[in-house]
Each structure stands twice: as structure tokens, then as C-alpha cells.
Amino acid sequence: MGLFKNIFGGSAGSTGDKKVLPWTPLQRLDQLPDIEEKSKVRPQIIFKHSTTCGISRMVLNMFTDSYAIEAGKIDLYFLDLQAHREVSNEVAIRFQVIHQSPQLLVVKNNSTVFHTSHGAISEVDLEKFL
């Protein structure tokens, strides 16, 4: 029964022990200058996610499950690129990366110090950017 629960989730009323990350929704263009400014103090992480892509969902789940950074060390931004296409396009321009999905960017000291996409996201060691 445990195998099926892991694959299909718990019963309708169960909350399980699903890890929840402290995401800040990235939904507006005016948030981008704030991200740049905050990056001077601590790393800013942008996760671009496609809500209709199974691979993007799988990578997001893997990232969430492996995330182990202490609160307050990094700021996490979640970008639903389909709902906020204009913001996604501006992220690519402003942070000088080619658009991909899923995609993870690390912004530090006002510039992109690392970015990756797809399965490689689950292998990122964010500790090295602290």
C-alpha cells in the first residue's frame, strides 16, 4: 500500500508531510529591480516553472524535496511563466539567460552567477552560493 500512496498521494483528507518552501511569487516586472537590489545582501533564486509540463513539475518536486537551506539565507522566487510571460521574457533579458523551462537562476551581487535547466536543477548545490 505504501508504494501506491507514494505514487498517487494520500487519501483525500490527508495533508501528508509534503515540504513547503518559502516561495515569493514573481508576478510583476517591478519586482525585478528589487531582486537585483536584494542580491547585494543575499543570493536570490528564481525558479521558472511551466504549469503544463510534467517534466517541470517533476523537477520542481525534486528541487523542493532536496532543498535544505536555512531560512533567511536565500530568497526564493517562483515564476509561473505561462501566467506571467512578460515577466519571464524580462527575466531572460535582464539576467542575460536564454529562456528555458524549467529553469533556475542564482542572482548575486546584481548579476546572474549561475543558471541551469531541466534535470540539472536537482543537482545544484545552493550552499556554494551563500
Side-chain angles (χ1 to χ4, degrees):
M1 187 61 156
L3 173 65
F4 291 113
K5 181 178 180 182
N6 289 339
I7 293 172
F8 298 111
S11 62
S14 82
T15 58
D17 55 353
K18 184 77 173 154
K19 186 191 291 187
V20 177
L21 299 186
W23 294 111
T24 298
L26 179 51
Q27 301 172 335
R28 300 179 328 273
L29 291 172
D30 66 356
Q31 290 176 274
L32 299 179
D34 292 339
I35 290 171
E36 289 174 320
E37 192 60 33
K38 289 177 183 178
S39 78
K40 296 174 184 175
V41 177
R42 69 180 155 270
Q44 306 293 294
I45 307 299
I46 299 173
F47 191 100
K48 292 172 62 177
H49 173 62
S50 171
T51 56
T52 60
C53 175
I55 292 171
S56 190
R57 172 58 55 193
M58 179 185 68
V59 170
L60 176 60
N61 288 340
M62 289 168 50
F63 178 80
T64 300
D65 290 344
S66 67
Y67 186 84
I69 303 294
E70 184 181 328
K73 300 277 186 179
I74 288 179
D75 293 327
L76 293 172
Y77 290 87
F78 183 86
L79 173 57
D80 175 345
L81 64 96
Q82 289 163 315
H84 305 287
R85 179 65 68 181
E86 182 181 42
V87 177
S88 178
N89 291 341
E90 184 61 25
V91 164
I93 294 166
R94 186 178 293 252
F95 297 111
Q96 301 177 358
V97 295
I98 295 172
H99 163 75
Q100 296 186 61
S101 169
Q103 185 173 37
L104 181 101
L105 289 77
V106 179
V107 181
K108 190 172 181 179
N109 296 319
N110 209 21
S111 64
T112 305
V113 295
F114 180 80
H115 65 94
T116 192
S117 67
H118 294 83
I121 291 171
S122 63
E123 300 169 9
V124 174
D125 177 11
L126 294 177
E127 291 279 343
K128 70 182 181 182
F129 299 108
L130 297 178

